[in-house]
Amino acid sequence: MLENNISTVNNDVKTLVKDAQALFTAATALTGEKAEELRGRGMRALDTALAKAHEAQQSALEASKEMAKSADVYVKENPWRSIALAAGVGLLVGVILGRK
């Protein structure tokens, strides 16, 4: 779920930045009021992209904190199972690295 949200926001931000770049490119060819309007639209698009990126960052931070809390609770409730799992992962990594 989190990966889908991040991917969607990432695509939205890329689209907004490309749109802003196109507006700025078009504005360079124009002068006067029309150019100012295009530059303003470009700035608003960039502001929107920055806001979406900030929202995605906050969402990812909250989700990672929640996962860390869940892992902490699990380890506290199942200490021996957690030790066995860590030992198993360590053994697996040791075997893989020992073969190289």
Side-chain angles (χ1 to χ4, degrees):
M1 184 174 113
L2 177 63
E3 291 176 14
N4 290 338
N5 287 343
I6 292 173
S7 177
T8 301
V9 171
N10 192 16
N11 289 337
D12 289 348
V13 169
K14 284 181 182 178
T15 301
L16 287 168
V17 170
K18 285 180 184 177
D19 290 348
Q21 287 173 334
L23 288 170
F24 286 131
T25 301
T28 59
L30 300 173
T31 59
E33 193 174 305
K34 194 70 171 168
E36 286 300 318
E37 178 187 337
L38 287 176
R39 280 192 282 275
R41 286 175 48 197
M43 289 304 293
R44 285 190 298 278
L46 286 176
D47 289 341
T48 303
L50 287 173
K52 283 193 174 271
H54 181 71
E55 288 173 18
Q57 179 186 17
Q58 292 300 319
S59 176
L61 185 61
E62 289 173 16
S64 64
K65 285 181 180 180
E66 189 62 36
M67 284 188 245
K69 285 180 187 177
S70 295
D72 188 49
V73 168
Y74 179 82
V75 169
K76 287 180 180 177
E77 290 177 356
N78 304 294
W80 290 108
R81 195 177 276 175
S82 300
I83 290 170
L85 179 64
V89 170
L91 178 66
L92 182 62
V93 169
V95 168
I96 291 171
L97 291 177
R99 288 186 172 190
K100 290 184 178 182

